[in-house]
Amino acid sequence: MTCRILALFLAALMILTACSAPAAPAPQSPEPPPSSSALEPLPEPPQEPEPEPEVDNSWTFDAPENHGMDPEVLADLHAALPNSAISSMVIVKDGAIVDEYYADGYDENSTFAIHSCSKSFTSALVGIAIHQGYLNGVEDLLSDYLPQVAELPGTKKDLTIRHLLTQTSGLEWYEWGSGYHNWEEFRSAPNWVEYILGRNQAAQPGQLFNYSTGNTHLLAAALEAATGKPLLEYGKETLFDALGMETISWGTDPQGVADGGNGVVISARDAARFGQLYLQGGVWKGRQLVPAEWVAQSTSVQNPGPGGSTGQYGYQWWIRPYAVNAFGIYRAPHGAKQYDAYHAFGAWGQYIFVVPELELVTVITCVKPQDSYAPRPFFTDFVLAACIPEEAAGEGGTAQ
């Protein structure tokens, strides 16, 4: 009995000991090694692109004698200008403004309607639009962009961009010379495009030169249809802003189409930028804004024009040589010489002259109705006369 009690006691003691012993730790899975990606540095946040440096479009100013121009002749010019209808005149030589004149009430910030000089601006935008693929080329049919032309009778459906650029559309128009003009009828029409397209076909397209602001207005309408933008907006995006033209505005017809042949209003200095751009082959501050080939084609003879002293015609530019003292206001001290030139030309005497041989651009604006040719002697008989020929410079002149 005693042995049985002792055995029970020992069994109970063993059970108690086992219950009070600490539990063995549960086996744990080993931690995975750190991945290679966790050891790599975090990628750098993307860097903002460096903004392009702002182009300085301000003009350079310099004394004329530093650019081979006689300051005494320019002083005579300033003495003669107050007796004329000229409101502003800016002379740029070698890329610097060397002389400028403003009539009383005007200054470098004044803007002027340059009338048909606008045509040369529209031409530049045609060249850019071809380069950008909005137009295929000058042989494109007008009906490609103005579908209503395809429904017109006769040969109107054959009109091309080239016919409009060269003033050879053949559409009946009376704007050049004396006699009856349909200008007021055109400008008072409720729809200018319809009015132009409604004119009789007086000659086969491409056959005859007949100067017409209506032709250029059709170019503007085609450009706006091709680009889907107002002409001024397209011009600012592709050309005017890059040139630093801060003053330009552009009138429109009753439907809001830019007045491509007559509507630009601009300061003389900004007009000179346009002339300087063409002098430089379409390049401005290192950028090719207008294709060089387009500049060359536009300022090369495409047809003989109307005859007479205005010149031959390119793509909305006039081409002709100008001789010193050609019109007899002033007899220059350096003798006569002739220079090849081209120019934009507007009613009442608006001009942008470009003379490549001299690296010369001259802008003239006039605000009063007058003979459109009246300002030309101030260019030939003073500005060209002030340019000292190399042979004269070799005899003590101040040519650069």
Side-chain angles (χ1 to χ4, degrees):
M1 180 69 176
T2 303
C3 291
R4 186 178 179 183
I5 293 172
L6 181 60
L8 291 172
F9 175 77
L10 290 173
L13 180 61
M14 291 174 65
I15 294 170
L16 181 62
T17 302
C19 291
S20 62
Q28 296 184 358
S29 302
E31 291 187 3
S35 66
S36 59
S37 62
L39 298 176
E40 294 175 357
L42 293 174
E44 293 288 334
Q47 297 293 319
E48 292 291 331
E50 288 286 335
E52 292 187 8
E54 188 171 343
V55 176
D56 181 6
N57 282 313
S58 58
W59 277 110
T60 298
F61 297 84
D62 204 358
E65 56 266 31
N66 294 335
H67 297 270
M69 295 191 75
D70 190 332
E72 293 184 6
V73 178
L74 296 179
D76 291 339
L77 169 65
H78 280 259
L81 282 169
N83 297 319
S84 74
I86 292 174
S87 52
S88 72
M89 193 165 180
V90 174
I91 303 170
V92 180
K93 187 76 161 61
D94 306 321
I97 292 179
V98 296
D99 190 82
E100 57 187 339
Y101 163 83
Y102 297 97
D104 288 345
Y106 302 102
D107 60 23
E108 66 274 12
N109 298 311
S110 300
T111 58
F112 306 95
I114 58 173
H115 301 304
S116 286
C117 289
S118 308
K119 293 177 171 65
S120 303
F121 287 68
T122 298
S123 173
L125 297 182
V126 171
I128 294 170
I130 291 173
H131 178 72
Q132 292 186 335
Y134 288 109
L135 306 176
N136 295 316
V138 296
E139 304 304 336
D140 284 3
L141 291 171
L142 179 60
S143 60
D144 292 343
Y145 308 101
L146 302 181
Q148 67 268 38
V149 176
E151 306 301 321
L152 297 176
T155 56
K156 290 180 184 178
K157 59 177 65 70
D158 298 327
L159 289 172
T160 66
I161 299 300
R162 181 190 293 277
H163 295 144
L164 302 177
L165 284 167
T166 57
Q167 302 285 12
T168 59
S169 69
L171 293 172
E172 184 182 26
W173 202 266
Y174 302 96
E175 187 173 343
W176 195 264
S178 58
Y180 166 72
H181 284 186
N182 64 307
W183 178 260
E184 291 301 330
E185 186 179 304
F186 158 52
R187 304 297 279 192
S188 60
N191 186 309
W192 293 4
V193 170
E194 287 185 2
Y195 174 85
I196 301 161
L197 293 175
R199 303 296 293 173
N200 293 328
Q201 192 72 39
Q204 293 296 314
Q207 187 177 42
L208 295 174
F209 177 93
N210 183 28
Y211 187 84
S212 166
T213 295
N215 288 333
T216 318
H217 194 67
L218 293 179
L219 279 176
L223 271 173
E224 293 194 352
T227 63
K229 298 174 182 178
L231 201 56
L232 180 58
E233 179 183 335
Y234 181 64
K236 284 179 173 289
E237 289 178 1
T238 61
L239 184 61
F240 306 146
D241 286 352
L243 284 171
M245 284 184 178
E246 298 181 354
T247 65
I248 188 168
S249 61
W250 208 321
T252 64
D253 73 5
Q255 281 65 50
V257 175
D259 183 2
N262 194 68
V264 171
V265 177
I266 197 169
S267 71
R269 285 185 182 179
D270 277 355
R273 295 176 192 275
F274 186 65
Q276 187 68 27
L277 172 74
Y278 266 66
L279 176 65
Q280 296 169 175
V283 175
W284 184 264
K285 304 295 183 180
R287 294 179 58 194
Q288 189 78 48
L289 299 182
V290 179
E293 183 179 1
W294 185 259
V295 173
Q297 291 174 353
S298 300
T299 58
S300 298
V301 175
Q302 300 293 335
N303 62 55
S309 67
T310 311
Q312 298 170 296
Y313 209 67
Y315 289 160
Q316 308 277 299
W317 285 87
W318 296 93
I319 300 104
R320 59 152 292 168
Y322 279 99
V324 178
N325 312 126
F327 302 104
I329 285 182
Y330 180 82
R331 184 57 54 188
H334 306 295
K337 186 173 179 178
Q338 183 168 281
Y339 300 95
D340 290 334
Y342 53 89
H343 63 275
F345 175 36
W348 300 353
Q350 326 302 324
Y351 287 93
I352 305 173
F353 292 104
V354 181
V355 186
E357 180 182 345
L358 295 173
E359 294 286 318
L360 174 70
V361 173
T362 302
V363 170
I364 298 175
T365 69
C366 302
V367 295
K368 298 176 181 178
Q370 62 164 343
D371 178 357
S372 296
Y373 298 99
R376 289 199 305 182
F378 292 93
F379 172 66
T380 59
D381 297 1
F382 290 95
V383 179
L384 290 184
C387 296
I388 304 171
E390 289 185 5
E391 55 271 22
E395 299 170 0
T398 57
Q400 190 177 24

